[in-house]
Amino acid sequence: MKLVVATRNRDKLKEIKTLLKDLPVKAFSLNSFKGVPDIIEDGSTLEENARKKAAQTSRFLKKFVVADDSGLEVEFLNGDPGVYSARFSGKGATYKSNNEKLLRLLKDIPPAKRKACFKCVIAVADKGKVIGVSEGKCNGKIGFKSAGDNGFGYDPLFIPDSFKKTFAQMSQAQKNKISHRSIALAGAKKIISNHLSLYL
Ligand code: IMP
């Protein structure tokens, strides 16, 4: 069965495909389809955005869809960048400019006040309707400088609890064992499996 991952972000797709590989589905991203309208992520929560992306994409493509919305919440910044993680440094934001802004805002802030957490919400939709939502969270802290070349986004700055290295210094397999996305996907896989059994 075909499953559409409602993203154009190749980094996310790579992680999601790896995490779904034991399910009897073949995953495609939006890059495999023409004319899918961009969905405006104007929700005030990750869940609102994930639900909107999943439902609208499923309605448009008439397919089975998973959509992820994720972000980084930094305690010292009262939960920012949160839902604005992708565009934290403004128009034309890149992973690099976002990371630079975060380091600037946390300059001279001591380790005890650099707590952060990654959150991921995955919504699953079929026939235009959301059939389930799953959430994952990974606690950690923000380092003082960028470290590591793996992963994407804020990975070079995020040191998960109980580790002395950033997500970007881990292999994808290591990150996948503890990441917010893998926890959310474990829940989403149950929703997907239950739904697939309806087709058998
Ligand atoms: P969105 O879910 O596409 O709205 O964007 C989420 C943004 O949060 C990404 O562009 C990244 O900057 C950041 N993000 C989400 N998940 C991760 C992750 O696993 N590692 C690093 N950054 C992430």
Side-chain angles (χ1 to χ4, degrees):
M1 177 145 181
K2 279 188 188 168
L3 177 71
V4 179
V5 183
T7 186
R8 296 188 191 280
N9 181 326
R10 288 176 201 281
D11 300 308
K12 274 190 189 177
L13 180 71
K14 194 169 144 203
E15 284 192 6
I16 293 173
K17 266 189 162 172
T18 309
L19 291 161
L20 288 176
K21 70 177 184 302
D22 50 333
L23 284 184
V25 292
K26 190 158 170 43
F28 297 87
S29 81
L30 294 181
N31 296 325
S32 303
F33 301 92
K34 286 206 179 103
V36 186
D38 276 336
I39 288 151
I40 299 160
E41 295 183 29
D42 56 357
S44 56
T45 62
L46 297 175
E47 178 169 340
E48 252 181 81
N49 283 336
R51 282 178 172 273
K52 187 175 175 188
K53 277 193 258 187
Q56 290 192 2
T57 309
S58 168
R59 201 169 306 138
F60 181 83
L61 290 175
K62 301 190 172 39
K63 297 220 181 303
F64 191 27
V65 171
V66 294
D68 136 308
D69 203 43
S70 45
L72 178 72
E73 294 182 356
V74 179
E75 200 176 280
F76 183 75
L77 303 177
N78 301 314
D80 278 350
V83 82
Y84 303 107
S85 292
R87 45 210 149 115
F88 188 38
S89 54
K91 212 164 175 257
T94 61
Y95 291 155
K96 187 164 178 279
S97 63
N98 286 339
N99 283 348
E100 283 167 358
K101 177 171 180 185
L102 183 55
L103 281 179
R104 215 166 41 243
L105 292 175
L106 295 182
K107 192 172 179 299
D108 301 329
I109 301 302
K113 290 190 171 171
R114 301 177 78 92
K115 284 193 196 130
C117 97
F118 264 128
K119 280 189 185 162
C120 174
V121 177
I122 294 187
V124 185
D126 198 15
K127 302 191 175 76
K129 285 211 166 61
V130 173
I131 56 168
V133 171
S134 166
E135 187 173 332
K137 193 174 155 180
C138 180
N139 291 317
K141 60 180 177 298
I142 302 302
F144 285 89
K145 59 177 177 10
S146 188
D149 300 314
N150 300 329
F152 67 100
Y154 297 95
D155 282 349
L157 297 184
F158 184 79
I159 305 168
D161 283 350
S162 321
F163 287 85
K164 288 196 164 62
K165 56 184 174 183
T166 67
F167 263 170
Q169 290 173 305
M170 296 181 173
S171 64
Q172 194 189 114
Q174 219 177 352
K175 177 183 172 188
N176 281 349
K177 275 190 191 148
I178 56 169
S179 81
H180 49 308
R181 189 162 295 101
S182 66
I183 296 165
L185 265 169
K189 276 163 98 166
K190 289 190 190 139
I191 300 166
I192 295 168
S193 301
N194 285 341
H195 193 65
L196 285 179
S197 64
L198 300 179
Y199 286 90
L200 296 177

